[in-house]
Amino acid sequence: MAIKVCKFGGTSMADGNVIKSVKNIIDGDMDRRFIIVSAPGKRYSGDIKVTDLLYDSYNALVSGGDFKKAFAAVKSRYVSIVKELNLDFDIDSVLEETEERIIKERSEDFTASRGEYLCARIVAGVLNAKFIDAENVIFFDENGALNGEKSYKAVAEAVKDAPRAVFPGFYGRGADGKVKTFSRGGSDISGAIVARAVHASMYENWTDVSGFLACDPRIVDSPRRIKSISYKELRELSYMGANVLHSESIFPVRRANIPINIKNTFRPGDEGTLILPTSRYTPCGNIVTGVAGKKNFTVIFIEKSLMNSEVGFIADVLNVLKKEGVPVEHIPSGIDTMSLVVESECLQGEKLNRVIEEIKQSVEPDVVRVIENIALIATVGHGMSSSVGTSSRLFSAIAAANINVKMIDQGSSEINIIVGVSNNDYEKCIKAIYREFFV
Ligand code: ASP
């Protein structure tokens, strides 16, 4: 039998009524056997997520504030959820135990993790399914990274003989034996770990949108929905700012070739977006799958005659950045020129001047120039490598919009062309590219 692993995000857990629809979704497909939940999210705009209420509670606890009052806001969310669900579940005792343990542990991660813990206990009750505490099956190593092999084994063992089980997302156990969380939004990663551990045929990620859009809807009105996308394309796009899914969550499932389906709890009939391993992916007919970008990069342009024949030139330049702890996004280069594209926030204060001085000393370039306020825009699609004239269309569209391109980088994966334009031209450029390839 095929196994589907379903992760439900915060808005799908926001109140008792939404949790009822989640139950219907799960009951509607016998393959939906393993469920991962986030903490209850916002019920309306302006509401506060339970995880944020928990961070506030922790801060009150350690800074001598009114912890009881802060935690009362958390309690009331769960009490009303259980009431709305009409569930026979002693939430008051569970909340009391939780409060005592938070005070005893005095740990930020432990406190934050209780949002998912409490939610999973309730959902397990609603579904009449086994509750599996992430603390006992998801493990981190001494460096704080996921211990994948140990976790996959423990999850597989825990679900043995369980027709259905519910896991809290977002946390596991650190090498020191204490509860440790992933970064924010990390329940996506928990879901991916469970999917990999149980050899799922599909990892369904239930959110409040019907999948990914081909570009930012704040820039283009009602952009087209992406029906299917490869892992590789998604990586290029999510890195540039399209973030529905936690960017680390794709790695466990990608390695195991498990597809991800982004679905909408509030419109379960919508197809959503299917994220597929490249080997199983056939482009949907469009040359370009999506366009995404990010503002505020700095370009350090370096020129030196015969740079190409100077052994170790690029290494010496990169060593300067390594020493200063500055990550480099892209390195477009020519025969006597190279550029370093860096997120501006990594070069704040005196750092930029220091980097420039050290580059001058280290490689004695003819010219070093700094160009600031650059936006990068990635146009991504598997179809691009096989169709002649894509870049000419891209650049003609940008030129027709009267935008000056300051940098070009065609990723060696050939599914991605990145252009650098002035921050001021960012929105205009995305619109021009979208119009060219989608309208
Ligand atoms: N509840 C956590 C957060 O708000 C984790 C998650 O939702 O995935 O970041």
Side-chain angles (χ1 to χ4, degrees):
M1 197 167 99
I3 298 176
K4 288 182 183 164
V5 166
C6 306
K7 180 255 163 175
F8 288 89
T11 43
S12 309
M13 293 289 133
D15 62 32
N17 290 326
V18 199
I19 296 179
K20 282 183 200 159
S21 354
V22 166
K23 176 173 162 45
N24 285 338
I25 290 169
I26 296 167
D27 287 344
D29 185 342
M30 294 288 283
D31 295 345
R32 294 185 176 129
R33 290 180 48 201
F34 303 118
I35 316 300
I36 295 84
V37 297
S38 283
K42 294 185 182 183
R43 292 160 292 186
Y44 43 84
S45 92
D47 194 15
I48 306 175
K49 290 169 97 177
V50 164
T51 307
D52 291 318
L53 293 174
L54 285 162
Y55 282 118
D56 290 347
S57 307
Y58 173 75
N59 288 335
L61 180 68
V62 292
S63 65
D66 194 343
F67 166 74
K68 290 262 170 210
K69 188 172 167 212
F71 193 65
V74 174
K75 283 183 179 169
S76 93
R77 289 289 301 264
Y78 289 101
V79 169
S80 44
I81 287 175
V82 170
K83 210 187 252 164
E84 283 153 1
L85 287 166
N86 217 351
L87 190 67
D88 183 15
F89 182 84
D90 186 1
I91 188 67
D92 294 325
S93 313
V94 178
L95 284 168
E96 208 168 300
E97 269 165 45
T98 304
E99 185 169 351
E100 277 166 21
R101 209 173 148 199
I102 288 178
I103 295 170
K104 192 165 139 250
E105 302 263 343
R106 256 183 119 73
S107 137
E108 185 172 40
D109 280 16
F110 179 79
T111 309
S113 74
R114 294 305 90 182
E116 274 68 14
Y117 169 83
L118 293 164
C119 195
R121 296 244 352 228
I122 293 170
V123 174
V126 171
L127 296 173
N128 206 2
K130 181 177 180 185
F131 165 77
I132 298 177
D133 197 340
E135 193 181 347
N136 301 324
V137 290
I138 290 187
F139 300 101
F140 296 91
D141 64 19
E142 297 72 31
N143 303 320
L146 172 74
N147 184 337
E149 290 317 314
K150 189 172 171 191
S151 307
Y152 304 141
K153 236 182 171 167
V155 170
E157 183 59 34
V159 300
K160 232 173 43 189
D161 312 322
R164 254 188 196 175
V166 180
F167 298 77
F170 190 39
Y171 71 96
R173 189 196 296 265
D176 60 0
K178 300 219 160 95
V179 162
K180 178 177 162 49
T181 61
F182 290 104
S183 56
R184 295 298 304 263
S187 302
D188 285 337
I189 310 176
S190 314
I193 295 166
V194 174
R196 165 94 176 258
V198 303
H199 305 286
S201 55
M202 179 70 77
Y203 172 27
E204 288 183 344
N205 193 296
W206 291 82
T207 64
D208 55 2
V209 291
S210 295
F212 298 123
L213 300 173
C215 83
D216 188 341
R218 286 166 302 186
I219 299 175
V220 169
D221 239 4
S222 323
R224 211 185 287 180
R225 196 163 304 288
I226 300 177
K227 282 200 178 130
S228 65
I229 184 168
S230 75
Y231 277 123
K232 233 186 195 165
E233 290 174 325
L234 178 66
R235 179 82 187 116
E236 304 279 1
L237 287 171
S238 59
Y239 148 75
M240 293 299 292
N243 40 14
V244 172
L245 198 62
H246 193 296
S247 60
E248 285 165 45
S249 67
I250 60 176
F251 295 106
V253 277
R254 179 179 182 167
R255 291 279 296 276
N257 280 337
I258 300 167
I260 306 175
N261 196 179
I262 306 291
K263 297 276 287 175
N264 187 348
T265 302
F266 303 89
R267 295 176 61 99
D270 287 359
E271 268 174 66
T273 297
L274 204 53
I275 307 164
L276 293 164
T278 312
S279 58
R280 286 166 65 177
Y281 171 77
T282 31
C284 51
N286 218 40
I287 297 173
V288 171
T289 304
V291 187
K294 213 168 166 184
K295 283 184 181 175
N296 298 325
F297 287 89
T298 296
V299 178
I300 303 173
F301 171 84
I302 304 168
E303 183 168 359
K304 185 172 188 186
S305 301
L306 302 177
M307 179 190 287
N308 63 327
S309 55
E310 201 172 307
V311 175
F313 186 95
I314 294 183
D316 289 344
V317 171
L318 290 181
N319 260 331
V320 170
L321 287 119
K322 183 176 174 194
K323 204 178 118 217
E324 289 291 338
V326 176
V328 181
E329 299 294 319
H330 296 281
I331 316 177
S333 64
I335 192 156
D336 286 336
T337 61
M338 69 180 286
S339 296
L340 301 162
V341 184
V342 177
E343 279 199 65
S344 306
E345 65 171 22
C346 303
L347 290 170
Q348 270 170 2
E350 268 309 295
K351 210 163 227 180
L352 178 60
N353 288 339
R354 246 190 351 253
V355 165
I356 302 296
E357 276 319 304
E358 285 176 38
I359 289 176
K360 282 184 183 159
Q361 275 171 25
S362 168
V363 295
E364 298 175 347
D366 300 334
V367 178
V368 184
R369 215 170 46 233
V370 175
I371 311 160
E372 291 187 279
N373 301 319
I374 294 294
L376 296 185
I377 296 168
T379 305
V380 176
H382 279 289
M384 286 163 57
S385 58
S386 53
S387 61
V388 177
T390 309
S391 43
S392 127
R393 279 179 66 189
L394 177 73
F395 290 109
S396 308
I398 297 175
N402 207 13
I403 295 166
N404 183 14
V405 174
K406 300 192 183 255
M407 189 209 85
I408 302 169
D409 192 4
Q410 172 155 27
S412 37
S413 62
E414 276 198 63
I415 66 164
N416 195 1
I417 298 177
I418 295 174
V419 294
V421 299
S422 146
N423 272 348
N424 296 336
D425 286 329
Y426 175 71
E427 284 85 5
K428 200 158 86 171
C429 190
I430 292 209
K431 277 188 186 133
I433 299 171
Y434 184 84
R435 215 179 303 120
E436 174 64 32
F437 290 102
F438 291 93
V439 181

